[in-house]
Amino acid sequence: MDATHSDPRTQAPARPVLEGPDIARMLTRIAHEIVERAKGADDVVLLGIPTRGVFLARRLAAKLEEITGRAIPVGSLDITMYRDDLRLGPARTLARTEIPGDGIEGRLVLLVDDVLFSGRTIRAALDALGDIGRPRAVQLAVLVDRGHRELPIRADYVGKNLPTSLREAVKVQLTEEDGRDAVLLGVRETAPAGER
Amino acid sequence: MKRHLISAADLTRDDAVLILDTAEEMARVADRPIKKLPALRGRTVCNLFFEDSTRTRISFEAAEKRLSADVINFAAKGSSVSKGESLKDTAQTLEAMGVDAVVIRHGASGAPYRLATSGWIDAPVINAGDGTHQHPTQALLDAFTMRRRLIGPDAGLGQDLSGKRITLVGDVLHSRVARSNVDLLHTLGAEVTLVAPPTLVPVGAEHWPCEVSYDLDSVLPKSDAVMMLRVQRERMNAAFFPTEREYSRRYGLDADRMARMPQHALVMHPGPMVRGMEITAEVADSPRCTAVEQVANGVSIRMAVLYLLLGGNEPAVTNPRTEEK
């Protein structure tokens, strides 16, 4: 996860740019795209990046199951120890890595996260995957792509492209964690100088 | 969390629960094909062992290597210590070599504290057992084992050991494991009872946050976990009990006694076990005895401690104790 969208310093007047029904429609569309591009999604494994990516991965898996009628393996991938800024702050609390029973060997791994920003989270996730197995291919699905990439990384499935300035903060809220579904756009209290 | 881990008494409840929760995630790495995490890449950890140890040293070394740290092993035997070098000079040598953390086991109580507070060395110090004082990572791995078994690996996350009744039996006098466990289990909300012959209960134990009993049989039915302590012959310079047989008969755990414990209750042992003395082979090999599990959990706990102390640019922060209420 990018630090910015869960940043407690985000100022209060954050305005919702997407609401619950929008998010549901976007996930349905992404699910159909996955089935189409992965030719039935036979060997797809969904791995959400904690915290909110995990909930999105579970929702996507449920939609995929509706479409294909098969159970889709879904898990989580904690990237904390693979972050490039691990040494820049106090030791971070770890989240759960849960690899589905059959593993990821030779399968199509679909990473799921809420916001794609600098791309550093995804770089860390790719490193973390390397220690777990060798997938056939890795793809990326995100709810919001806010731009400002710092690494050569792109998403395969995007809910919404949200052009932002670096002074803005994007926050995704999900019912499982925050009590409601929304994407909020606010102003960062401090300039992003040097961080992330 | 403080910069060093010297005593289990230094840990707040939140610190301890954070370590146990982190260890739970670390334990999952053991099931992976590549048992390695990059968290301590490029950091050098020195294991400074002035006293014999198998379990603890290997456990720390495994934990350090799984976190990708560079490991320097130092044993007093065959080093300059046998030529008369002082702790201070050894510490300064390590400092000059750029060590990022020191894990120390020493026969003298207080040696890790001295190392941490003397200014000889800048790196965080982790106590791996000092004299008859403290062995905090052992207490943490014991608490971790209890939480996993009595509450559950996932159900236990974020939980302490409130209301669990833990009994420590045996040579409390010479046991740093007992001291650390009493401190930590009390912090975690457990009710601790020490059972030992009066000669092996240290002076001042009445002020510890625990009960003291001389009668094992009356305590067993009310225990969720019974931890047997080894009789530390190497530290005994007087006759603390008449004969080994008498000690074994009154304070040893055999199958008859184990049958008096509640069905769910655990038998624990920090090792090394002396079969036939404090524990019979039958009990030691029963599925209720967690001695081997404790060793496996030790690696996870030490990974968690190393990560939380060294993983960031400062130790993981939790709320001070005053904010709990």
Side-chain angles (χ1 to χ4, degrees):
Chain A
M1 283 195 315
D2 292 319
T4 41
H5 60 259
S6 58
D7 195 336
R9 291 170 300 175
T10 304
Q11 275 183 332
R15 117 191 113 79
V17 287
L18 294 172
E19 305 277 4
D22 303 320
I23 293 175
R25 271 196 300 275
M26 289 183 326
L27 288 176
T28 308
R29 193 197 76 231
I30 292 175
H32 281 284
E33 282 178 16
I34 293 168
V35 175
E36 189 187 342
R37 293 200 11 212
K39 302 197 171 53
D42 283 339
D43 59 350
V44 168
V45 178
L46 298 183
L47 291 182
I49 298 174
T51 312
R52 290 176 184 78
V54 181
F55 302 124
L56 289 173
R58 287 189 196 140
R59 291 190 194 183
L60 262 183
K63 298 218 185 259
L64 284 173
E65 278 165 28
E66 264 176 46
I67 299 166
T68 63
R70 276 192 322 272
I72 303 289
V74 56
S76 62
L77 181 68
D78 178 42
I79 57 120
T80 308
M81 283 191 273
Y82 295 86
R83 297 177 69 110
D84 57 5
D85 60 352
L86 191 64
R87 301 282 165 80
L88 299 182
R92 292 161 183 268
T93 309
L94 303 183
R96 175 60 53 95
T97 293
E98 189 99 62
I99 303 301
D102 292 338
I104 59 168
E105 208 65 31
R107 308 188 65 137
L108 174 61
V109 169
L110 186 61
L111 296 171
V112 184
D113 202 0
D114 50 357
V115 181
L116 181 58
F117 184 20
S118 66
R120 288 172 192 264
T121 302
I122 304 307
R123 194 231 22 111
L126 293 173
D127 283 356
L129 268 186
D131 282 354
I132 290 167
R134 185 178 182 279
R136 173 172 72 77
V138 184
Q139 295 185 340
L140 172 64
V142 295
L143 192 62
V144 175
D145 181 350
R146 64 166 294 188
H148 304 291
R149 215 76 76 240
E150 290 162 10
L151 293 170
I153 279 169
R154 58 156 182 77
D156 299 272
Y157 308 96
V158 180
K160 185 166 179 64
N161 282 300
L162 198 62
T164 57
S165 103
L166 278 173
R167 273 195 300 279
E168 287 172 311
V170 177
K171 170 140 184 72
V172 170
Q173 294 188 319
L174 294 174
T175 317
E176 295 93 327
E177 180 82 7
D178 313 287
R180 69 154 177 171
D181 279 0
V183 177
L184 305 177
L185 192 61
V187 180
R188 274 168 141 193
E189 206 168 84
T190 48
E195 70 173 48
R196 295 263 69 209
Chain B
M1 234 167 118
K2 295 192 171 183
R3 255 187 91 233
H4 309 284
L5 181 59
I6 304 297
S7 163
D10 295 341
L11 295 170
T12 63
R13 178 201 171 270
D14 289 355
D15 285 336
V17 171
L18 175 66
I19 295 172
L20 300 189
D21 288 353
T22 306
E24 197 63 63
E25 304 305 327
M26 296 294 186
R28 304 170 73 87
V29 176
D31 304 330
R32 294 201 198 159
I34 300 174
K35 299 179 185 44
K36 205 138 179 110
L37 293 166
L40 299 187
R41 235 179 86 220
R43 304 238 165 162
T44 307
V45 182
C46 180
N47 298 324
L48 200 53
F49 277 68
F50 291 94
E51 206 183 60
D52 294 340
S53 163
T54 322
R55 224 172 309 272
T56 307
R57 188 175 53 76
I58 293 175
S59 178
F60 265 109
E61 192 173 341
E64 288 148 8
K65 288 183 169 165
R66 278 193 193 168
L67 290 175
S68 309
D70 295 314
V71 183
I72 299 175
N73 281 314
F74 174 101
K77 274 176 203 151
S79 74
S80 295
V81 171
S82 53
K83 298 177 192 164
E85 190 177 65
S86 68
L87 179 61
K88 178 177 179 178
D89 291 324
T90 307
Q92 285 175 337
T93 305
L94 296 176
E95 176 76 358
M97 288 179 186
V99 166
D100 295 303
V102 176
V103 174
I104 178 172
R105 150 85 50 115
H106 203 288
S109 303
Y113 178 80
R114 183 90 178 107
L115 195 61
T117 55
S118 57
W120 297 335
I121 195 165
D122 204 29
V125 173
I126 299 171
N127 183 359
D130 59 333
T132 59
H133 175 226
Q134 281 277 335
H135 193 351
T137 56
Q138 177 72 40
L140 285 162
L141 76 88
D142 290 336
F144 183 63
T145 308
M146 291 173 205
R147 196 178 79 168
R148 284 198 122 186
R149 281 286 201 112
L150 297 174
I151 305 176
D154 286 330
L157 286 176
Q159 306 273 316
D160 56 20
L161 293 168
S162 300
K164 300 291 176 215
R165 294 158 305 179
I166 316 295
T167 306
L168 276 65
V169 188
D171 186 358
V172 177
L173 182 62
H174 300 102
S175 177
R176 53 194 174 211
V177 176
R179 281 168 184 76
S180 297
N181 262 296
V182 169
D183 289 334
L184 183 70
L185 291 171
H186 173 70
T187 304
L188 288 172
E191 296 161 24
V192 186
T193 307
L194 300 176
V195 180
T199 48
L200 288 175
V201 177
V203 176
E206 61 273 15
H207 302 303
W208 293 3
C210 62
E211 302 290 315
V212 177
S213 168
Y214 305 129
D215 180 17
L216 182 56
D217 289 318
S218 67
V219 179
L220 283 180
K222 295 177 287 186
S223 302
D224 295 308
V226 177
M227 190 183 305
M228 306 307 296
L229 302 169
R230 183 174 62 92
V231 175
Q232 302 197 23
R233 299 215 136 272
E234 74 277 17
R235 294 186 208 276
M236 287 186 180
N237 50 10
F240 289 94
F241 43 81
T243 66
E244 291 190 0
R245 272 187 64 187
E246 180 170 335
Y247 177 87
S248 187
R249 200 173 323 128
R250 293 196 57 179
Y251 295 99
L253 191 63
D254 57 20
D256 287 345
R257 283 217 165 94
M258 190 168 71
R260 271 177 241 164
M261 292 164 46
Q263 276 303 312
H264 69 273
L266 314 175
V267 175
M268 304 180 69
H269 198 299
M273 291 193 273
V274 184
R275 289 170 183 239
M277 183 71 175
E278 72 270 6
I279 192 166
T280 63
E282 195 183 351
V283 174
D285 296 330
S286 83
R288 292 173 75 173
C289 179
T290 60
V292 178
E293 203 176 314
Q294 283 167 266
V295 176
N297 289 342
V299 178
S300 307
I301 277 288
R302 284 162 186 134
M303 286 171 77
V305 168
L306 286 161
Y307 169 69
L308 292 172
L309 284 180
L310 296 176
N313 62 352
E314 55 185 286
V317 184
T318 55
N319 298 328
R321 196 186 279 271
T322 45
E323 283 178 28
E324 266 177 48
K325 284 155 193 157

